């Protein structure tokens, strides 16, 4: 092929690329700089040289590398554009029309003539990126369309596969063509007899096409789904998993396409999700004794041959398990996407429930000693436990609700709890915990029977079953909060309190953890009679004494301290009798737990000391207050260990608790606590932007979201600390009132911009609460500057004008109303009043439009979204209510009150959920 760039450019690029793949950091860094410099000066030449290199390079590695690099460079911001605002201009946007035509020609040549399958797949990725971005800018690529259709007829299977890969990666290539012509090509690919890779690529192309189709195209393409599903039955397990996984996104996005096929699908998938061994009506384990050979042979055969056979069997088992999980995921995805549809298929729910229960019982028989010795914080994922089946059961219950899931689940669970096999007893308990959230409203009706099933398991001989009993009870206390505590506290305490003395640390620590869940929904008077035995056992866990001769595990101490804090919080002043036993222990921990492996213990002790101080009250706490404050000041002023990521947040929270305990007496310590607090409140979001190709963006302590085709990472510890700081400012300001005056100006300067801190909802909510408190503080301390009032009201009204989240709209109206109660309605000048009316009209129009759009949706769509819509409209009603309160406060006959009532009437208001997680259709 004729060269499209000068020879010297090609030679230079060859050297740069060779340096880029070297391991030497300095050489590679210089090569990266060289690339950036050349692209800044002559992007056309070097991008075309890169495309030419993808064809002409001698080795597959360098051709692949140049294609990957070309793909990444084309759509990154142009060097001179990186600092400019407005739409991001990329290197692609700086290429001339002639250069683009040449680039397309080079890539089409690579696609048509590249001999290596792996390199050609890299070409497909680059071609699809170029095609999608070109089309989004109004530049069609007809030559690619023609060549791809031609390649579906190629003699080589690798070329046919790549054709369908192009259709999958760029469905817009065929969206404007006759549906029949497209379906004909896709169906041939699905039936390709020579290559399973072609069939898989065709299946993925079909999924992309159907996902991108409009309603009319979908109605003409229904026959395609039969052909897609027909690829499955003949596949061996090694391929079946990938085919099922490729179909699953369509199950979520277009579940109704599967409606005519559900009975056949159930018949096929049910066989995949159930283990091969099935000895009767109760869930059982396919291989009761894992890791043992399948048969006994004598005399012993060749050792190597046996090893090979074992390896082959293990690989086959793994493939089968992968298929099982992929099939289950497809069924769960359909159930979540269209609950009413799958409920009409007899046996659908029963099959999934049974499969999940079977899977949850498949744990290794051995490994107990390792489990008992493991630290739960390091073993949080517990690799031996089949989480996927537990999570699938949870998702099914949340999707379909109690009326659908509870009957089949409890068809099996009682017999599992009575099984001789500890793994099934464990699975039965974990299953109750898994379905509790989704079925809670119906489970309440039979809660007594559930409690009767669970409580005897606390006496089980196997520690992992007793651990599961703690997990189950803790989950029930969360998902049926207040109900189970109110009705069955005696039965629950009767099993939880003795379990705090279980011989195994993991079990008694988990019993303490379950007590936290219990305390979060318990009335103080219910807890008080049991307070002494609980505290006595928790203190024994915290400080067992020398007579036991055993070193207590640190995670047990951490859990004991955390549970003591929650018990103190729930029991309030009644906890005072135990104060003298506990506070000295906590102070001792805070003084001495300085090493890196005690970081978590130290912050838990801080939290506990603060909660106990609040619970027992100022008078009981006062004698130790100065000691605790001195210890905290010493910790705060000590050098910071970078690995201690918890300390800053816990310190801020503990100072806030001490302020709540001491009240106005805390004022002298503000100079100590405010500088780091204001520093935390002023923190900017730590954000990183990654290319979609980056594989290193999944970092611990970071959350990622997808924005504008890029992956944005946000450091959670920074924004969590900022939220904690604003919550603490609310506490200081509300408790200290005018005494907080010296910090009013700095706090308000941080709070007004925080209303627009979109990275963390908690920061914005705290800012809403803080503004009226700061105005009140300024008024009572005489530090309220004249410009603070209009600045605050202007910012709040502006936020009302632009806000789209109904929940936060409600908070904004409350904040305005509370602020006006402090500073007086006359502070709302005519200009501000007009702005508020305009913002309110905008919100009313927006809410009316949303409600009208919902009312025009098909009844079948609304049926499956019932719970979500009910919650959404409830949030909107709260916003309307707070809007109405503010308007009435300004004028009892405000003309917008009629509009508020009219918008409220547009709501459905008939969603009174009898059952959770979808309708009974």
């Amino acid at each position: 092929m004729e060269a499209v760039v000068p020879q010297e450019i090609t030679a230079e690029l060859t050297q740069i690329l060779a340096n880029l793949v070297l391991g030497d950091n300095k050489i590679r860094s210089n090569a990266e700089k060289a690339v950036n410099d050349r692209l800044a000066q002559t992007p056309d030449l070097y991008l075309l040289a890169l495309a030419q290199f993808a064809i002409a390079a001698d080795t597959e590695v360098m051709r692949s590398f140049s294609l990957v690099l070309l793909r990444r460079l084309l759509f990154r911001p142009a060097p001179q554009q990186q600092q400019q605002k407005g739409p991001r201009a990329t290197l692609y946007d700086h290429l001339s029309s002639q250069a683009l035509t040449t680039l397309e020609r080079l890539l089409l040549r690579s696609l048509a003539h590249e001999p290596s399958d792996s390199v050609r797949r890299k070409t497909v990725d680059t071609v699809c990126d170029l095609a999608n971005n070109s089309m989004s800018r109004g530049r069609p690529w007809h030559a690619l369309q023609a060549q791809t259709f031609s390649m579906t007829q190629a003699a080589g299977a690798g070329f046919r596969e790549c054709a369908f890969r192009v259709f999958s990666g760029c469905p817009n290539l065929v969206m404007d063509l006759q549906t029949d012509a497209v379906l004909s090509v896709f169906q041939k690919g699905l039936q390709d007899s020579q290559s399973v890779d072609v069939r898989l690529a065709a299946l993925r192309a079909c999924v992309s096409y159907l996902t991108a189709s409009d309603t009319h195209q979908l109605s003409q393409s229904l026959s395609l789904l039969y052909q897609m599903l027909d690829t499955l039955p003949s596949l061996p397990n090694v391929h079946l998993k990938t085919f099922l996984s490729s179909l699953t996104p369509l199950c979520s996005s277009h579940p109704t396409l599967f409606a005519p096929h559900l009975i056949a699908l159930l018949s096929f998938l049910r066989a995949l999700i159930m283990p091969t061994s099935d000895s009767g009506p109760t869930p059982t384990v396919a291989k009761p004794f894992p890791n043992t050979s399948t048969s006994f042979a004598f005399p012993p055969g060749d050792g190597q041959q046996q090893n090979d056979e074992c390896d082959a069997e293990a690989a086959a088992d793994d493939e089968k398990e992968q298929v099982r999980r992929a099939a289950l995921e497809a069924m769960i995805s359909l159930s979540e996407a269209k609950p009413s549809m799958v409920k009409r298929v007899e046996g659908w729910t029963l099959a999934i429930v049974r499969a999940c229960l079977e899977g949850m019982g498949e744990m290794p028989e051995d490994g107990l000693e390792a489990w008992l010795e493991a630290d739960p914080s390091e073993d949080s994922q517990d690799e031996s436990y089949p989480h996927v089946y537990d999570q699938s059961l949870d998702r099914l219950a949340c999707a379909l609700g109690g009326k659908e899931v509870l009957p089949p689940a409890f068809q099996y669970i009682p017999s599992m709890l009575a099984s001789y096999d500890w793994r099934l007893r464990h699975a039965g308990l974990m299953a109750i915990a898994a379905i509790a959230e989704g079925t809670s409203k119906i489970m309440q009706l039979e809660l007594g029977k559930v409690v009767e099933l669970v409580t005897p398991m606390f006496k089980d001989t196997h520690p992992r079953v007793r651990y599961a009993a703690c997990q189950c009870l803790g989950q029930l206390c969360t998902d049926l909060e207040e109900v189970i505590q109110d009705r069955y506290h005696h039965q629950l305490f009767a099993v939880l309190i003795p379990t705090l003395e279980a011989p195994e640390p993991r079990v008694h620590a988990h019993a303490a953890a379950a007590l936290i869940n219990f305390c979060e929904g318990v009335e103080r008077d219910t807890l008080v009679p049991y307070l002494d035995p609980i505290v006595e056992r928790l203190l024994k866990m915290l400080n067992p004494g020398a007579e036991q001769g055993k070193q207590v595990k640190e995670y047990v101490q951490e859990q004991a301290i955390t549970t003591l804090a929650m018990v103190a919080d729930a029991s309030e002043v009644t906890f005072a009798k135990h104060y003298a036993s506990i506070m000295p222990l906590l102070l001792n921990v805070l003084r001495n737990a300085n090493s890196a492996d005690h970081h978590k213990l130290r912050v838990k002790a801080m939290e506990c000391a603060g909660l106990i101080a609040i619970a027992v009250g100022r008078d009981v706490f006062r004698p130790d207050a100065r000691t605790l404050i001195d210890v905290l000041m010493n910790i705060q002023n000590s050098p910071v260990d970078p690995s201690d990521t918890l300390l800053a947040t816990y310190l801020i929270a503990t100072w806030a608790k001490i302020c709540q305990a001491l009240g106005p007496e805390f004022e002298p310590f503000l100079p100590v606590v405010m500088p780091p607090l204001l520093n935390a409140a002023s923190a900017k979001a730590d954000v990183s932007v990654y290319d979609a190709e980056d594989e290193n963006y999944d970092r611990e302590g970071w959350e990622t979201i997808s924005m504008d085709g890029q992956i944005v990472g946000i450091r959670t510890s920074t924004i969590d600390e900022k939220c904690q700081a604003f919550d603490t400012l609310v506490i200081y300001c509300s408790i200290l009132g005018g005494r907080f005056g010296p910090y009013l100006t700095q706090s308000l300067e941080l709070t007004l911009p925080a209303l627009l801190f979109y990275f963390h909802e908690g920061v914005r909510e705290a800012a809403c609460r803080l503004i009226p408190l700061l105005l009140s503080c300024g008024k009572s301390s005489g530090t309220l500057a004249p410009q603070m009032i209009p600045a605050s009201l202007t910012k709040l009204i502006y936020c009302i004008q632009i806000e789209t989240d109904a929940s936060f709209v409600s908070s904004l109206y409350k904040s305005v109303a509370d602020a006006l109660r402090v500073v007086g309605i006359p502070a709302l000048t005519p200009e501000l009043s007009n702005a508020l009316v305009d913002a309110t009209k905008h919100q009313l129009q927006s809410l009316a439009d949303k409600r009208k759009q919902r009312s025009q949706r098909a009844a079948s769509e609304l049926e499956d979204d019932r719970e979500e819509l009910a919650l959404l409209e409830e949030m909107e009603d709260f916003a309307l209510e707070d809007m109405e309160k503010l308007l009435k406060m300004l004028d009892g006959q405000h003309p917008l009150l009629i509009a508020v009532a009219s918008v409220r009437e547009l709501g459905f208001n008939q969603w009174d959920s009898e059952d959770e997680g979808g309708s009974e259709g």
Side-chain angles (χ1 to χ4, degrees):
M1 182 179 178
E2 185 182 338
V4 296
V5 292
Q7 176 60 35
E8 61 269 20
I9 298 289
T10 305
E12 183 185 22
L13 184 69
T14 303
Q15 185 59 54
I16 291 173
L17 290 178
N19 290 343
L20 276 175
V21 297
L22 287 175
D24 187 293
N25 286 336
K26 187 174 181 182
I27 294 175
R28 192 167 65 241
S29 178
N30 289 334
E32 287 171 1
K33 184 177 182 302
V35 169
N36 291 330
D37 290 343
R38 305 305 185 277
L39 290 173
Q41 294 161 15
T42 49
D44 291 43
L45 273 179
Y46 281 89
L47 289 173
L48 290 178
L50 207 50
Q52 183 173 281
F53 198 75
I55 298 169
D58 294 334
T59 65
E60 291 182 16
V61 170
M62 292 310 291
R63 294 201 301 277
S64 289
F65 180 60
S66 57
L67 285 162
V68 170
L69 190 59
L70 176 63
R71 182 183 176 198
R72 298 184 69 166
L73 293 176
L74 267 173
F75 298 102
R76 80 174 190 183
Q80 63 268 39
Q81 292 283 329
Q82 287 182 353
Q83 301 304 317
Q84 295 183 14
K85 293 187 177 179
R88 291 184 308 140
T90 65
L91 288 172
Y92 171 93
D93 298 302
H94 287 266
L95 296 180
S96 66
S97 177
Q98 182 183 357
L100 282 173
T101 301
T102 305
L103 178 63
E104 290 169 351
R105 183 165 52 84
L106 290 169
L107 287 174
L108 288 180
R109 180 174 177 82
S110 173
L111 191 63
H113 298 286
E114 169 59 53
S116 162
D117 286 346
S118 63
V119 176
R120 200 181 319 109
R121 286 169 187 156
K122 295 286 192 304
T123 305
V124 169
D125 294 339
T126 306
V127 161
C128 288
D129 258 18
L130 181 59
N132 287 323
N133 281 281
S134 295
M135 290 180 193
S136 70
R137 290 163 167 80
R139 179 186 171 91
W141 194 354
H142 299 301
L144 173 63
Q145 187 185 64
Q147 181 168 313
T148 308
F149 271 104
S150 174
M151 284 174 64
T152 63
Q153 308 293 323
F159 291 92
R160 298 198 301 276
E161 179 205 351
C162 280
F164 288 108
R165 280 177 173 262
V166 171
F167 288 140
S168 174
C170 185
N172 282 334
L173 275 178
V174 296
M175 299 314 292
D176 60 345
L177 301 180
Q178 286 288 330
T179 305
D180 288 347
V182 176
L183 297 191
S184 173
V185 170
F186 284 178
Q187 285 167 2
K188 285 179 183 173
L190 292 170
Q191 295 165 0
D192 193 297
S193 58
Q194 295 179 6
S195 170
V196 71
D197 290 330
V198 174
R199 298 201 297 276
L200 176 60
L203 179 72
R204 288 173 170 164
C206 293
V207 169
S208 292
Y209 175 72
L210 292 172
T211 302
S213 293
D214 58 29
T215 307
H216 178 67
Q217 286 169 312
L218 283 174
S219 66
Q220 294 185 307
S221 308
L222 296 178
S223 62
L224 187 58
L225 205 72
Y226 176 80
Q227 305 284 345
M228 292 163 68
L229 295 174
D230 201 39
T231 61
L232 302 176
S234 61
L235 289 168
N237 284 339
V238 67
H239 298 302
L240 183 53
K241 178 251 179 186
T242 312
F243 274 67
L244 285 168
S245 299
S246 300
L247 269 174
T248 300
L250 196 64
C251 295
S252 297
S253 63
H254 291 73
T256 51
L257 290 175
F258 294 84
H261 310 283
L262 281 181
I263 293 174
L265 256 181
L266 174 60
S267 176
F268 176 67
L269 295 175
R270 178 165 45 198
L272 299 179
I273 63 176
M274 297 298 291
T276 49
S277 173
D278 186 359
S279 62
T282 60
T284 185
V285 183
K287 290 183 71 176
F289 304 103
N291 305 322
T292 57
S293 62
T294 52
S295 59
F296 174 75
F298 188 86
D302 175 60
Q304 181 59 48
Q305 182 181 344
Q306 285 188 340
N307 287 339
D308 291 344
E309 288 173 0
C310 287
D311 290 345
E313 183 182 347
D317 285 347
D318 183 60
E319 284 171 6
K320 193 165 193 176
E321 179 62 19
Q322 294 301 317
V323 167
R324 186 177 166 197
R325 295 182 179 201
L328 181 62
E329 179 59 32
M331 294 183 77
I332 295 289
S333 297
L334 277 171
S335 303
E336 289 177 320
K338 196 72 178 170
S340 59
M341 178 181 77
V342 300
K343 285 179 184 179
R344 290 191 283 267
V345 181
E346 186 177 351
W348 181 276
T349 305
L350 179 65
I352 299 177
V353 168
R354 175 76 185 272
C356 289
L357 294 176
E358 292 273 8
M360 290 170 72
E362 293 170 12
M363 297 168 64
E365 174 65 34
D366 50 9
L368 177 60
E369 289 305 316
W371 180 86
L372 287 171
E373 286 303 311
D375 183 334
S377 63
E378 297 170 4
D379 189 34
S380 57
Q381 286 304 304
D382 188 2
E383 294 299 326
S384 66
Y385 181 65
H387 293 278
V388 66
Y389 298 105
D390 187 314
Q391 291 160 0
S392 296
L393 191 58
D394 177 24
R395 289 166 60 193
L396 185 75
C398 289
L400 303 188
K403 288 182 182 176
E404 184 74 11
V405 172
L406 278 180
F410 278 93
Q411 181 180 330
Y412 298 121
I413 287 172
S415 54
M416 293 173 72
L417 295 178
S419 171
Y420 71 93
D421 188 336
W422 72 265
R423 293 169 293 179
L424 295 189
R425 302 196 300 275
H426 182 282
L429 289 164
M430 298 299 279
I432 295 173
I435 63 176
E437 179 187 2
T439 68
S440 58
K441 290 181 183 175
I442 306 301
M443 190 183 280
Q444 284 183 30
L445 307 176
E446 301 288 342
L447 192 51
K449 293 179 182 175
V450 175
V451 171
E452 285 176 13
L453 279 173
V454 173
T455 48
M457 308 308 290
F458 279 82
K459 296 181 179 175
D460 198 277
T461 56
H462 201 286
R464 293 197 69 165
V465 175
R466 283 180 274 121
Y467 180 94
C470 296
Q471 174 70 23
C472 180
L473 218 51
Q475 196 63 50
L476 289 172
C477 287
T478 296
D479 295 327
L480 291 100
E481 189 171 311
E482 297 182 6
V483 178
I484 193 168
Q485 288 94 329
D486 180 53
R487 294 187 202 167
Y488 301 104
H489 57 266
H490 179 71
Q491 292 94 317
L492 302 195
F493 277 131
V495 293
L496 276 176
I497 293 174
T499 311
L500 293 171
E501 296 184 293
E504 306 87 1
R506 281 200 79 164
V507 176
H508 62 234
H510 212 50
L515 262 178
I516 291 179
N517 299 43
F518 185 96
C519 287
E520 285 173 344
V522 73
E523 293 292 329
R524 184 178 72 89
D525 293 342
T526 302
L527 178 61
V528 166
Y530 303 95
L531 196 57
D532 290 355
I534 290 173
V535 173
E536 177 191 333
R537 285 161 178 78
L538 289 172
L539 284 174
K540 196 180 292 184
M541 286 168 59
L542 183 60
N543 189 28
E547 72 276 0
Q548 291 195 11
K550 271 189 177 180
Q551 180 66 38
V552 65
K553 290 182 181 287
E554 184 145 328
Y555 73 80
V556 175
Q557 290 183 310
E558 291 166 6
Q559 187 60 65
I561 287 175
T562 307
T563 306
L564 277 169
M566 286 304 301
V567 170
D569 190 42
S571 57
E572 300 169 5
V573 293
T574 320
F575 198 79
K577 64 184 288 189
H578 300 287
Y579 176 85
S581 308
I582 297 168
M583 188 57 83
L585 288 174
L586 296 175
L587 290 169
N588 187 48
V589 170
L590 291 172
R591 287 191 191 99
N592 299 308
N594 299 317
S595 61
D597 53 348
H598 291 122
H599 284 162
K600 191 174 178 184
L601 182 65
R602 181 170 66 174
V603 297
K604 292 293 182 184
M606 273 184 211
E607 178 183 51
C608 186
L611 283 169
I612 288 175
I614 294 171
V616 301
R618 193 181 314 171
D619 293 336
V620 176
F621 171 57
R622 190 181 286 114
D624 291 307
R626 184 71 219 198
T627 308
L628 177 58
I629 287 169
D630 286 343
V631 170
L632 292 177
M633 285 170 60
N634 183 51
I635 292 171
Q636 181 171 293
N637 295 328
S638 298
V640 177
D641 181 344
S643 68
D644 192 354
T645 55
L646 300 171
L647 180 61
T649 304
Y650 272 86
L651 258 177
I652 290 170
T654 305
W655 285 125
K657 292 179 179 70
I658 293 173
C659 177
Q660 288 171 277
L662 291 180
E665 296 174 27
F666 187 74
E667 183 191 359
F669 304 105
L670 282 177
V672 173
V673 301
M674 285 304 294
L677 181 67
L678 292 171
N679 186 51
S682 64
K684 301 285 189 289
D686 193 351
V687 176
S688 292
V689 180
Y690 308 97
D691 289 327
E693 291 298 301
D694 284 340
E695 296 179 358
N696 300 321
Y697 58 76
D698 194 9
R699 290 188 281 170
E700 189 175 347
W702 290 68
E703 279 185 10
T704 54
I705 54 173
S706 181
M707 286 175 61
D708 192 23
Q710 290 183 307
I711 294 171
V712 178
I714 304 164
R715 192 190 194 111
T716 50
S717 58
T718 306
I719 59 174
D720 287 343
E721 195 176 318
K722 184 181 181 84
C723 184
Q724 181 72 66
F726 271 96
D727 285 338
T728 302
L729 285 171
V730 170
I731 290 168
Y732 288 168
C733 200
S734 60
I735 288 175
L736 299 174
R739 294 177 174 85
F740 191 72
Y743 302 96
L744 169 63
T745 302
Q746 284 174 281
S747 298
L748 192 61
E749 285 174 355
L750 290 172
T751 301
L752 295 181
L755 290 168
L756 297 172
F757 190 78
Y758 294 107
F759 294 107
H760 200 302
E761 188 180 324
V763 172
R764 304 175 76 206
E765 290 288 350
C768 271
R769 298 196 304 276
L770 190 53
I771 289 170
L773 291 170
L774 288 170
L775 295 176
S776 176
C777 158
K779 189 176 178 183
S780 57
S781 63
T783 56
L784 190 63
Q787 70 272 23
M788 289 180 178
I789 299 171
S792 300
L793 292 173
T794 300
K795 193 72 170 183
L796 286 167
I797 293 168
Y798 170 73
C799 290
I800 290 173
Q801 176 75 39
I802 64 169
E803 186 56 48
T804 57
D805 176 6
S807 172
F808 193 60
V809 168
S810 179
S811 300
L812 288 165
Y813 275 104
K814 279 181 196 166
S815 188
V816 173
D818 289 343
L820 290 176
R821 287 189 189 96
V822 172
V823 300
I825 291 176
L828 196 68
T829 62
E831 185 183 354
L832 287 171
S833 181
N834 290 336
L836 179 61
V837 167
D838 288 344
T840 301
K841 284 179 180 176
H842 174 77
Q843 283 296 338
L844 286 168
Q845 185 63 54
S846 174
L847 289 171
D849 291 344
K850 288 174 185 174
R851 293 188 165 197
K852 285 175 185 173
Q853 284 174 6
R854 280 180 222 135
S855 69
Q856 292 165 4
R857 287 173 59 186
S860 59
E861 288 182 45
L862 298 175
E863 186 180 31
D864 284 325
D865 294 339
R866 179 176 66 160
E867 290 281 318
E868 187 181 339
L869 285 173
L871 185 61
L872 192 60
E873 294 223 335
E874 188 179 19
M875 292 298 104
E876 292 173 355
D877 285 340
F878 284 141
L880 289 168
E881 184 181 332
D882 288 306
M883 187 188 294
E884 185 177 56
K885 285 178 182 175
L886 177 59
L887 293 172
K888 284 181 177 177
M889 181 177 155
L890 299 176
D891 177 359
Q893 302 297 317
H894 200 290
L896 285 179
L897 289 171
I898 296 171
V900 173
S902 300
V903 174
R904 186 180 285 124
E905 287 173 9
L906 290 173
F908 289 98
N909 295 327
Q910 78 264 31
W911 306 112
D912 54 341
S913 179
E914 294 291 331
D915 182 28
E916 57 295 326
S919 70
E920 286 310 302

